[in-house]
């Protein structure tokens, strides 16, 4: 039934001179998502609107599912498209649309016509009234409500006639690639994939780094992180995932630093290494899945101590969310099931029974001194282990 889609976008519409740039980026992201779908499509941009024409057979569900991953889209409107063969045919097409789309006719509606082609003989207001009449004639149970209709039936008169009434919500936000690039610290947990998605949604391209600690963490745990990256990549586009061997550093910290400070010191080295890779790869910030108070290493004092090693801004989009709110987003974006698979990440193995919750920066720095003979070479060696996995959907 639907041979075209109207794509609505919200925020990018207000970007003034940059609007062209944003629209073009959105078109590119739509094309990227459609490449995953069977069928032939044409994406067009006219007068502040984006249309997708379907040129072949296609799978409606698959297409809508993929469009729902394009950041910058606020709504996807599947449209019926017919040739302009006179006003009677137009009325007939709308009646037919209503009949097929709404088997149960007990609802209120309003027609909202837009005559983009000004030489069309019937004016918008007239189209509203006359098409409305035809619908009422055809279906006695149906009612008009011009103020709060259950269904708004849009009729657009362009070179062809378009009819739609359904708006499927997209992710919102801005097209990826319009706001630079950032480095996501991606673990196998629930929070960091959500954090990556939230920043990507604001138009930021994502690279990722994962610290593994073989043999303490398994190959399967690494695969899980790559799987999560692939799920995030549905929204963010291709992700360059850097896998860093962290075992040597972790063992050194374990051996030489107080055990209640293990996690904090480890987190500081993760941030340092992530930042080094970020700077090499033109990332303008770091992203983590931290949330205030969630665990000992995420008290506000711990976050301050972790943050102290970074010069790039650290984005923590989950910072004010409760765990359940983060879980809700992970379910929505489809990462939850993978996140809860039971493979150890390196943080869960080297954990102290009673980690500090209010670390003191000077004390932490003093204990990091215990590593000074070896740590610079270890950091360099860790950077040398960088295994790059290009993750695409
Ligand atoms: P998540 O669910 O994202 O794993 P978490 O609640 O388990 O988070 P932590 O393990 O303390 O919290 O990690 C806090 C953040 O540090 C994570 O959200 C992630 O951004 C980063 N991080 C933790 N472990 C790793 C790792 N092995 N590799 C890369 N980043 C990591
Ligand atoms: Mg974790």
């Amino acid at each position: 039934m639907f041979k075209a889609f109207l794509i609505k976008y919200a925020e990018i519409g207000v970007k003034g001179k940059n609007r062209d740039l944003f629209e073009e980026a959105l078109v590119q992201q739509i094309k990227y998502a459609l490449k995953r779908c069977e069928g032939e499509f044409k994406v067009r941009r006219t007068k502040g609107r984006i249309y997708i024409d379907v040129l072949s057979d296609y799978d409606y569900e698959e297409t809508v599912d993929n469009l729902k991953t394009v950041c910058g889209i606020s709504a996807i409107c599947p449209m019926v498209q017919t040739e302009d063969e006179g006003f009677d045919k137009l009325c007939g097409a709308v009646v037919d649309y209503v009949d097929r789309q709404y088997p149960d006719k007990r609802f209120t509606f309003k027609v909202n016509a837009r005559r983009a082609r000004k030489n069309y003989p019937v004016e918008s207001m007239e189209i509203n009234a006359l098409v409305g009449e035809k619908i009422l004639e055809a279906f006695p149970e149906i009612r008009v409500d011009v103020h709060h209709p259950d269904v708004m039936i849009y009729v657009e008169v362009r070179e062809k006639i378009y009819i739609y009434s359904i708006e499927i919500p997209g992710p919102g936000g801005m097209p990826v690639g319009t706001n630079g690039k950032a480095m996501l610290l991606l673990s196998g947990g629930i929070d960091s994939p959500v954090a990556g998605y939230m920043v990507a949604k604001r138009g930021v391209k994502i690279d990722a780094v994962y610290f593994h600690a073989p043999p303490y963490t398994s190959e399967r745990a690494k695969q899980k992180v790559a799987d999560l990256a692939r799920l995030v990549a549905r929204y963010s586009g291709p992700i360059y995932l850097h896998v860093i061997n962290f075992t040597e550093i972790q063992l050194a910290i374990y051996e030489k630093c107080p055990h209640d400070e293990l996690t904090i010191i480890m987190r500081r080295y993760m941030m340092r290494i992530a930042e080094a890779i970020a700077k090499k790869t033109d990332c303008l910030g770091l992203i983590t899945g931290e949330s205030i108070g969630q665990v000992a290493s995420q008290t506000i004092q711990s976050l301050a101590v972790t943050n102290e090693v970074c010069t790039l801004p650290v984005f923590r989009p989950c910072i004010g969310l409760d765990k359940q709110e983060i879980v809700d987003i992970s379910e929505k974006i489809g990462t939850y099931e993978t996140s809860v698979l039971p493979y150890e990440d390196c943080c869960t193995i080297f954990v102290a029974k009673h980690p500090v919750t209010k670390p003191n920066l000077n004390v932490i720095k003093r204990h990091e001194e215990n590593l000074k003979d070896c740590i610079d070479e270890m950091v360099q060696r860790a950077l040398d282990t960088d295994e790059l996995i290009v993750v695409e959907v």
Side-chain angles (χ1 to χ4, degrees), residues 333-366:
I333 65 173
T335 53
Y336 182 76
E337 271 178 36
T338 305
S339 287
V340 295
L341 292 174
Y343 305 109
E344 300 284 287
D345 67 27
C346 56
C347 319
T348 52
I349 286 167
F350 295 89
V351 280
K353 277 212 188 74
H354 301 289
V356 280
T357 53
K358 293 189 177 72
N360 174 296
L361 181 59
N362 292 326
V363 174
I364 297 286
K365 279 181 165 172
R366 199 178 324 125

Side-chain angles (χ1 to χ4, degrees), residues 189-206:
I190 295 169
D191 309 329
S192 46
V194 168
Y197 159 76
M198 286 172 77
V199 173
K201 189 160 83 71
R202 298 304 300 164
V204 178
K205 196 169 160 18
I206 303 286

Side-chain angles (χ1 to χ4, degrees), residues 191 288-304 316-323 325-326 357:
D191 309 329
T288 76
E290 289 158 315
S291 156
I292 292 176
Q294 199 187 76
V295 287
S297 58
Q298 294 175 29
T299 63
I300 203 159
Q301 293 86 351
S302 297
L303 289 170
R316 299 178 171 91
C318 300
I319 199 74
L321 298 181
D322 296 349
K323 191 72 188 187
E325 292 172 303
I326 302 173
T357 53

Side-chain angles (χ1 to χ4, degrees), residues 32-273:
Y32 178 72
L34 290 174
K35 263 197 222 148
R36 308 198 284 268
C37 308
E38 233 169 272
E40 208 187 316
F41 305 91
K42 187 171 170 233
V43 187
R44 316 182 267 131
R45 193 152 73 91
T46 41
K47 301 197 182 85
R49 306 204 128 194
I50 294 175
Y51 294 94
I52 302 168
D53 294 319
V54 184
L55 307 175
S56 67
D57 284 345
Y58 78 116
D59 182 332
Y60 173 81
E61 299 291 337
E62 178 194 52
T63 304
V64 169
D65 277 352
N66 278 290
L67 289 172
K68 277 180 176 171
T69 66
V70 179
C71 301
I73 291 184
S74 71
I76 303 149
C77 309
M79 303 196 298
V80 162
Q81 174 188 318
T82 65
E83 296 300 325
D84 173 17
E85 292 168 333
F87 189 64
D88 285 347
K89 282 267 169 59
L90 182 152
C91 293
V94 181
V95 169
D96 185 50
Y97 170 84
V98 171
D99 198 21
R100 288 210 274 168
Q101 186 60 45
Y102 302 98
D104 181 355
K105 305 287 186 303
R106 283 165 299 179
F107 62 85
T108 62
F109 79 101
K110 173 184 176 178
V111 178
N112 188 332
R114 185 170 150 151
R115 193 179 55 145
R117 184 153 58 76
K118 293 296 170 207
N119 65 358
Y120 193 77
V122 190
E123 282 181 18
S124 302
M125 294 301 281
E126 268 182 285
I127 301 178
N128 291 343
L130 296 171
V131 171
E133 246 168 59
K134 292 284 182 208
I135 294 173
L136 288 170
E137 271 170 33
F139 312 112
E141 314 94 294
I142 224 165
R143 297 271 175 274
V144 170
D145 183 341
V146 290
H147 300 296
H148 305 287
D150 298 327
V151 175
M152 183 75 96
I153 299 166
Y154 292 92
V155 178
E156 290 202 2
V157 179
R158 295 175 178 263
E159 61 293 358
K160 291 182 182 177
I161 312 294
Y162 298 99
I163 306 159
Y164 69 94
S165 64
I166 306 169
E167 293 198 9
I168 302 160
M174 296 184 200
V176 169
T178 55
N179 269 323
K181 186 165 74 165
M183 179 65 71
L184 169 66
L185 283 87
L186 182 60
S187 68
I190 295 169
D191 309 329
S192 46
V194 168
Y197 159 76
M198 286 172 77
V199 173
K201 189 160 83 71
R202 298 304 300 164
V204 178
K205 196 169 160 18
I206 303 286
D207 281 349
V209 54
Y210 167 59
F211 297 94
H212 73 151
Y216 303 97
T217 61
S218 64
E219 197 57 24
R220 193 63 196 76
K222 174 173 137 189
Q223 186 55 46
K224 175 184 168 183
V225 172
D227 292 345
L228 284 170
R230 191 160 293 109
L231 293 169
V232 175
R234 279 170 58 81
Y235 297 90
S236 68
I239 294 178
Y240 284 24
L241 172 64
H242 300 262
V243 179
I244 298 289
N245 187 321
F246 202 59
T247 311
E248 193 184 30
I249 294 176
Q250 205 150 26
L251 288 172
I253 299 171
Y254 193 72
E255 201 176 296
K256 298 192 164 138
C257 302
H259 283 190
D260 60 345
E261 291 169 2
L262 282 182
T263 310
I264 284 288
I265 295 177
M266 189 187 77
R267 305 254 334 116
R268 280 164 58 92
Y269 280 100
M270 280 188 184
M271 296 303 261
R272 287 178 173 112
I273 292 171

